[in-house]
């Protein structure tokens, strides 16, 4: 059984997710919340958390992902539209993947199962955001990785994209994983800082420094 | 052509200046007349009548010039002709040795006539008028060129100064006018810049308003449509499909807002993907960094090519999903249409050859390129490239 949490400020969407997932034998939506604060207060731990990209409390998407990852959840970011900048930020913050809501329940369920099995294929939207990442400081990708990602982002199947750049499907998968790892590593310093800050908070160090 | 304010001012100034000059040129003889030295003329009455007649003509001439802000060729020719007549007549009516003195009142206003020609009818007319008037002066005073003490030096000096004044006046007029034109051009430019600024300001305001409205669309309508299309509220499958499509159209539109142009490629592709959505295809439309000031024919050619490629997906690919992406790289753009359908052999199937030729022709017309990559069982990938 895969335990799932969902954080979205849209009550209706949460209800809808619940009714979908109640029919699935291997997935259970246990906890829902409108904000990350609210979810953290629940004091629970789900294997996978579905996180809305832009929450109404104006919290930073990247920080939300980091906080959940620090708890030990795997995070799948979902949103109405793909906002390039935030998508990249959540990837660096350690999110497992990213989906736009127009994909429908099947794609969501597939992604959840893949994350649970530890082999999520990135969505083309995510790949698109990565290929268009032009920040001055960004993980450097090899020319082949970039080409593969770019064809995949344009909607080619991984197999076709692999054939087009002249590598095997297996190698193409390695490329995708390498790219994800590069982004994860690029976000590590920020995550470490946040983890430290959180530990301090838990120890009560932040407000009353010990003498 | 519309004259600028400074040019009109310069013309007015030139009319006034030449008028004042003519007045000053006519006045000195009144002192001669008041002196009562009528014995210096062979026909004093005729000389006086000619003077009064000339003064009246000058008044009519400048009154008309003032009214019309200039002098037509007819008026200038008439002025020169009357001045020539007076030069010959008055010069001839002077007693010997007096034709080269102030007794000959016709010389000064004749200079005025030459100046009027050069100022208002340009260099060729002005020079011809100057030469004609100089000759008429010489003919009038011919009596003084003979006899015991010929005044040849004075005559040549007067004729030469008539020409010199004419040329000087022409130069002054040219300078006045070019300064005025420069001023007018600068003024017009400043005005245009002001208007452009106002237009840009209005555009910014419209854009801000659109961003605000799109924000509202995103928060309300798009979210609701997405929920309905996902099946919330138990809507019928047909309505769900419809909501899904409208949502995807709105999604493309809302995310296109940062590119600022409703006429740009992103909006055009948004419309194409919406229309295709009506035919039952779910299209994932992404774009980034596409210049929104591509030439209109290029936008249309790309949109049509994408439409044709999507039609092909709907007809032959046996899939309900397609991806349309548009990426800008500086002045160039890459637009792709991809599906995970059944694919085809681009070389051997007739449909494959047909679409390839048609898309290539379409894009070649605007200087673009098309590449189609497909294999049976592997989906189809169409890449459209265009660069400035």
């Amino acid at each position: 059984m895969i335990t799932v949490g969902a954080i979205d400020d849209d009550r209706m969407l949460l209800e809808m997710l619940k009714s979908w997932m109640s029919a699935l034998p291997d997935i259970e939506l246990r906890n829902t919340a409108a904000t990350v604060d609210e979810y953290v207060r629940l004091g629970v731990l789900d294997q996978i958390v579905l996180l809305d990209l832009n929450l109404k409390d104006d919290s930073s998407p990247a920080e939300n992902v980091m906080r959940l990852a620090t708890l030990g959840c795997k995070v799948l970011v979902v949103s109405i539209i793909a906002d390039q900048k935030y998508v990249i930020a959540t990837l660096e913050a350690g999110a497992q993947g990213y989906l736009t809501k127009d994909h429908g329940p099947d794609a969501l369920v597939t992604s959840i199962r893949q994350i649970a099995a530890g082999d999520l294929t990135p969505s083309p939207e995510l790949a698109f955001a990565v290929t268009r990442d032009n920040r001055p400081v960004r993980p450097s990708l090899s020319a082949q990785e970039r080409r593969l990602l770019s064809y995949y982002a344009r909607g080619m199947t991984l197999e076709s994209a692999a054939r087009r750049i002249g590598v095997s499907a297996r190698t193409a998968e390695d490329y995708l994983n390498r790219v994800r790892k590069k982004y994860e590593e690029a976000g590590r310093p920020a995550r470490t800082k946040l983890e430290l800050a959180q530990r301090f908070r838990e120890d009560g160090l932040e407000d009353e420094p010990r003498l | 052509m519309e004259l600028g304010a400074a040019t009109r001012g310069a013309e007015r100034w030139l009319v006034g200046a030449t008028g004042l000059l003519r007045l000053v040129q006519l006045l000195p003889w009144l002192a001669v007349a008041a002196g009562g030295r009528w014995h210096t003329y062979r026909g004093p009455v005729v000389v006086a009548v000619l003077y009064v007649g000339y003064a009246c003509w000058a008044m009519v001439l400048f009154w008309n010039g003032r009214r019309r802000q200039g002098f037509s060729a007819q008026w200038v020719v008439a002025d020169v002709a009357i001045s020539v007549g007076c030069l010959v007549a008055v010069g001839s009516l002077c007693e010997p040795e007096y034709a080269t003195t102030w007794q000959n009142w016709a010389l000064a206003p004749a200079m005025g006539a030459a100046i009027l020609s050069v100022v208002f009818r340009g260099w060729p007319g002005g020079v011809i008028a100057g030469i004609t008037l100089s000759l008429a002066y010489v003919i009038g005073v011919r009596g003084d060129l003979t006899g015991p003490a010929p005044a040849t030096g004075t005559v040549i000096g007067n004729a030469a100064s008539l020409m010199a004044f004419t040329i000087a006046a022409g130069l002054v007029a040219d300078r006045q006018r070019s300064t005025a034109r420069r001023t007018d051009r600068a003024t017009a430019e400043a005005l245009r810049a002001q208007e452009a600024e106002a237009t840009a300001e209005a555009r910014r305001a419209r854009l801000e308003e659109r961003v605000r409205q799109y924000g509202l669309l995103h928060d309300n309508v798009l979210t609701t449509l997405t929920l309905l299309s996902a099946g919330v509220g138990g809507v019928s499958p047909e309505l769900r499909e419809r909501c899904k499509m409208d949502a995807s159209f709105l999604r493309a539109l809302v995310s296109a807002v940062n590119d600022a142009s409703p006429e740009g490629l992103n909006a055009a592709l948004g419309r194409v993907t919406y229309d295709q959505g009506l035919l039952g295809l779910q299209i994932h439309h992404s774009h980034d960094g596409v210049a929104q000031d591509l030439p209109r024919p290029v936008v249309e050619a790309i949109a049509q090519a994408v439409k044709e490629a999507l039609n092909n997906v709907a007809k032959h690919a046996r899939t309900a999903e397609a991806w349309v992406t548009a990426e800008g790289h500086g002045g160039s753009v890459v637009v792709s249409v991809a599906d995970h359908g059944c694919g085809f052999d681009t070389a051997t199937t007739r449909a494959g050859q047909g679409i390839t030729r048609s898309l290539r022709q379409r894009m070649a017309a605007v200087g673009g390129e098309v590449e189609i990559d497909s294999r049976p069982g592997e989906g189809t990938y169409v890449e459209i490239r265009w660069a400035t």
Side-chain angles (χ1 to χ4, degrees):
Chain A
M1 180 66 75
I2 307 167
T3 59
V4 175
I7 303 173
D8 199 305
D9 43 43
D10 200 315
R11 281 276 130 208
M12 271 169 80
L13 184 103
L14 294 176
E15 290 308 312
M16 180 182 74
L17 283 175
K18 263 186 191 156
S19 70
W20 272 341
M21 292 184 179
S22 64
L24 301 171
D26 58 334
I27 297 176
E28 188 190 358
L29 179 59
R30 281 202 182 146
N31 305 291
T32 59
T35 64
V36 174
D37 281 338
E38 199 184 312
Y39 184 84
V40 169
R41 273 200 302 274
L42 291 176
V44 292
L45 180 62
D46 294 302
Q47 275 175 271
I48 297 171
V49 172
L50 310 176
L51 173 70
D52 188 31
L53 184 64
N54 295 109
L55 291 169
K56 287 247 161 56
D57 64 352
D58 282 333
S59 48
S60 136
E63 204 180 315
N64 286 342
V65 171
M66 285 187 215
R67 292 178 66 188
L68 292 166
T70 316
L71 286 182
C73 309
K74 289 178 169 174
V75 184
L76 176 62
V77 178
V78 289
S79 80
I80 293 274
I81 60 171
D83 195 326
Q84 251 36 297
K85 189 167 69 199
Y86 292 129
V87 170
I88 291 286
T90 57
L91 184 65
E92 285 193 343
Q96 297 290 310
Y98 170 80
L99 263 189
T100 49
K101 288 177 184 171
D102 62 336
H103 277 285
D106 295 341
L108 191 62
V109 167
T110 307
S111 296
I112 289 172
R113 286 182 181 138
Q114 284 180 344
I115 292 175
D119 64 346
L120 175 69
T121 318
S123 62
E125 287 86 355
L126 183 58
F128 190 74
V130 170
T131 58
R132 301 300 297 182
D133 183 5
N134 57 3
R135 297 167 305 165
V137 182
R138 58 173 185 266
S140 86
L141 308 184
S142 75
Q144 278 293 76
E145 286 167 352
R146 186 166 285 286
R147 287 183 67 209
L148 176 88
L149 208 61
S150 141
Y151 290 125
Y152 179 69
R154 291 173 190 168
M156 282 184 118
T157 59
L158 197 56
E159 293 73 33
S160 311
R163 172 180 55 75
R164 205 172 149 82
I165 68 161
V167 299
S168 70
R170 178 89 234 135
T171 311
E173 251 169 71
D174 288 345
Y175 282 177
L176 284 187
N177 287 329
R178 270 210 314 250
V179 170
R180 182 164 47 207
K181 202 148 272 149
K182 283 179 183 178
Y183 271 82
E184 237 177 76
E185 267 156 28
R188 197 181 297 280
R191 283 202 305 280
T192 310
K193 234 165 79 185
L194 187 84
E195 270 170 59
L196 281 176
Q198 213 149 37
R199 219 162 292 152
F200 274 122
R201 252 200 304 274
E202 280 156 14
D203 295 349
L205 286 176
E206 196 187 45
D207 299 328
E208 309 156 53
R210 259 178 262 173
L211 295 171
Chain B
M1 196 188 78
E2 181 98 8
L3 289 178
T7 303
R8 280 201 307 278
E11 293 299 323
R12 222 181 2 257
W13 184 84
L14 287 170
V15 172
T18 48
L20 189 67
L21 179 68
R22 195 71 65 96
L23 179 68
V24 171
Q25 286 163 334
L26 280 168
L27 282 179
W29 185 75
L30 290 177
V32 174
R37 292 160 56 85
W38 296 105
H39 63 275
T40 56
Y41 295 111
R42 280 188 210 124
V45 179
V46 182
V47 170
V49 168
L50 280 176
Y51 179 85
V52 172
Y54 192 93
C56 289
W57 157 250
M59 265 180 353
V60 172
L61 176 72
F62 282 97
W63 175 73
N64 176 70
R66 212 182 137 75
R67 206 164 52 92
R68 298 196 186 178
Q69 295 290 307
F71 298 89
S72 67
Q74 289 96 310
W75 283 90
V76 170
V77 168
D79 187 39
V80 171
I82 288 167
S83 300
V84 164
C86 289
L87 278 172
V88 175
V90 177
S92 309
L93 287 170
C94 287
E95 289 290 354
E97 288 169 41
Y98 286 104
T100 52
T101 67
W102 277 108
Q103 305 303 115
N104 185 352
W105 60 259
L107 176 61
M111 287 181 181
I115 288 167
L116 193 78
S117 314
V118 78
V119 168
F120 290 100
R121 306 312 316 164
W123 286 106
V127 170
I128 291 167
I131 292 168
T132 312
L133 288 160
S134 301
L135 285 176
Y137 170 67
V138 175
I139 292 166
V141 301
R142 68 193 175 283
D144 284 18
L145 293 175
T146 53
T152 320
T154 314
V155 170
I156 291 172
N158 281 344
S161 56
L162 189 149
M163 285 309 294
F165 279 132
T166 305
I167 290 164
L171 292 174
V172 169
D174 277 359
R175 187 161 178 85
Q176 285 284 336
R177 288 195 171 106
S178 80
T179 305
R181 266 199 301 276
R182 262 204 307 280
T183 309
D184 280 340
R185 263 202 301 275
T187 312
E189 230 144 73
L191 215 74
R192 262 198 301 280
Q194 233 171 39
E195 274 165 15
E197 176 59 30
T199 314
E201 184 57 44
R203 214 174 114 78
R204 266 196 295 281
R206 273 202 306 279
L207 182 64
E208 266 167 31
E209 175 60 15
R210 198 152 60 221
V211 169
R212 198 183 64 79
Q213 287 172 348
Y214 283 3
L216 289 176
L217 282 180
H218 173 266
D219 291 350
N220 307 324
V221 186
L222 184 53
T223 306
T224 309
L225 284 175
T226 306
L227 287 174
L228 287 174
S229 66
V232 172
V235 296
S236 71
E238 293 78 27
L239 190 55
R240 274 174 60 181
E241 272 314 302
R242 185 60 186 253
C243 290
K244 196 181 205 172
M245 234 174 44
D246 287 359
S248 89
F249 174 61
L250 209 54
R251 189 169 286 114
L253 201 67
V254 166
S255 53
V257 70
N258 291 330
D259 294 317
S261 169
E263 291 86 31
L265 182 60
N266 291 337
L269 291 180
R271 280 191 292 274
V272 169
T273 55
Y274 179 75
D275 290 343
Q276 290 297 318
L278 289 171
L279 301 174
L281 218 48
Q282 195 200 348
I283 295 162
H284 306 283
H285 177 198
S286 328
H287 53 76
D288 185 57
V290 178
Q292 289 304 290
D293 52 357
L294 297 173
R296 189 90 213 129
V298 173
V299 170
E300 266 160 29
I302 294 175
Q304 284 304 315
V306 167
K307 189 173 180 177
E308 197 174 338
L310 287 172
N311 271 334
N312 219 51
V313 174
K315 266 191 279 182
H316 305 295
R318 288 182 225 136
T319 172
E321 224 177 344
W323 283 261
V324 173
T325 59
E327 298 155 60
H329 305 269
S332 69
V333 60
V334 177
V335 177
S336 64
V337 178
D339 67 69
H340 298 177
C342 61
F344 58 89
D345 190 321
T346 44
T348 58
T349 60
R350 188 179 305 169
Q353 290 165 346
I355 176 105
T356 307
R357 189 164 345 104
S358 164
L359 289 182
R360 287 217 170 116
Q361 275 170 3
R362 209 184 271 292
M363 287 313 297
V366 291
E369 290 171 0
V370 175
E371 188 193 337
I372 299 183
D373 185 350
S374 184
R375 280 198 189 174
E378 279 200 15
T380 302
Y381 172 75
V382 176
E383 187 176 293
I384 299 162
R385 291 183 297 263
W386 186 85
T388 36

